[in-house]
Amino acid sequence: MLSEPFIEQATQAAGGREALWQNIISGLKIRSMAEIGVWKGGFARRILDECPSIEHYYLVDPWRNLESWNKPWNVDNETFDAVFQEAQANVSAHGNRCMFLRGTTIEVAGQIPADIDFAYVDGDHTLRGIAIDLINVYSRLRDGGYLAGDDFSPTIWQHDKTFEPTMVFPFVTYFAEAVGAELYALPYNQFIMTKRTSGTYRFHDLAGKYADNSVLSQVKRQSMVDKAKAFSRRTLRSSTSDHRT
């Protein structure tokens, strides 16, 4: 069962993200799970190598270019084909436990049994993407199952401003409150919550960096940063112009 002492023990024994989830999944004796956003399959390989309790592992990823996904990993289809082949190779030793579902979450979520123990979300981190992933995957969990994920970043400006903001942290907290789930913020920008048909929302900040989950404050801060940068550029140009004169 999920608890602060259990998570703290798993965290203390971990040296990074993959080791953290290896400890948690092994400790919870997870038998069936789905990973949303697989990329090259490195995370899946580590979990399958180290967690023998897993009998069924569903690997969900479009492995194709998506027009509506404005994030750095949206590469061309030729590259995605190579990435897919690498993912298959990475978990080839566990072929009897793996099921590849190549498609968006909306396209393939219905192929995941509606009673799995665990889901790990590391797909599209835009507001649209995380909303689609959480809502669809949550419905595939059994009561008492666990929903976890990556890139629970306290800042929405995870990437360059030419890309959509990363909305995992604010949306996950709102989602957990909406469904009455107990949510834990973990080190390495990770999160986990327990699905309950009737529960009460609580937020446990075990990483100590999630005091403010508002979006407006971050937009205001970024606006101030942009203004400061613009002022610096204007000052530099003016100084250079004066020097040349």
Side-chain angles (χ1 to χ4, degrees), residues 53-205:
S53 66
I54 297 176
E55 299 171 0
H56 304 288
Y57 196 111
Y58 299 88
L59 299 98
V60 179
D61 197 303
W63 283 294
R64 73 173 188 264
N65 184 268
L66 300 173
E67 292 183 2
S68 58
W69 186 31
N70 183 26
K71 280 293 190 179
W73 298 111
N74 196 17
V75 295
D76 60 89
N77 284 325
E78 184 177 354
T79 302
F80 266 125
D81 285 340
V83 168
F84 178 57
Q85 292 173 14
E86 188 169 349
Q88 290 177 305
N90 266 326
V91 298
S92 59
H94 306 282
N96 61 325
R97 295 196 282 164
C98 297
M99 179 178 291
F100 282 89
L101 300 178
R102 190 172 184 177
T104 65
T105 308
I106 289 178
E107 291 169 347
V108 303
Q111 298 178 47
I112 303 172
D115 60 352
I116 62 172
D117 300 324
F118 191 94
Y120 185 76
V121 178
D122 187 15
D124 180 353
H125 302 322
T126 66
L127 178 58
R128 174 176 177 269
I130 190 62
I132 289 172
D133 286 348
L134 258 62
I135 291 169
N136 281 276
V137 174
Y138 195 74
S139 67
R140 315 318 294 172
L141 291 168
R142 64 172 175 80
D143 185 39
Y146 306 96
L147 178 60
D150 189 20
D151 288 278
F152 197 61
S153 169
T155 174
I156 64 174
W157 306 111
Q158 186 184 23
H159 303 297
D160 184 89
K161 287 191 305 173
T162 56
F163 297 105
E164 283 284 317
T166 292
M167 301 297 286
V168 177
F169 167 49
F171 185 82
V172 166
T173 57
Y174 303 151
F175 179 85
E177 184 175 5
V179 299
E182 200 158 2
L183 172 64
Y184 294 83
L186 311 179
Y188 313 112
N189 288 348
Q190 308 295 293
F191 72 87
I192 187 170
M193 68 178 79
T194 305
K195 179 178 180 178
R196 300 291 185 197
T197 52
S198 58
T200 302
Y201 168 70
R202 290 183 62 194
F203 181 56
H204 306 265
D205 184 3

Side-chain angles (χ1 to χ4, degrees), residues 14-67:
R17 176 179 75 106
E18 293 180 352
L20 171 65
W21 289 116
Q22 171 195 323
N23 294 340
I24 290 176
I25 290 170
S26 295
L28 294 173
K29 295 180 172 56
I30 297 301
R31 297 176 62 185
S32 58
M33 69 173 284
E35 181 185 352
I36 314 301
V38 178
W39 189 237
K40 295 181 179 180
F43 179 84
R45 179 181 62 187
R46 171 68 179 269
I47 297 303
L48 286 163
D49 283 348
E50 304 297 336
C51 302
S53 66
I54 297 176
E55 299 171 0
H56 304 288
Y57 196 111
Y58 299 88
L59 299 98
V60 179
D61 197 303
W63 283 294
R64 73 173 188 264
N65 184 268
L66 300 173
E67 292 183 2

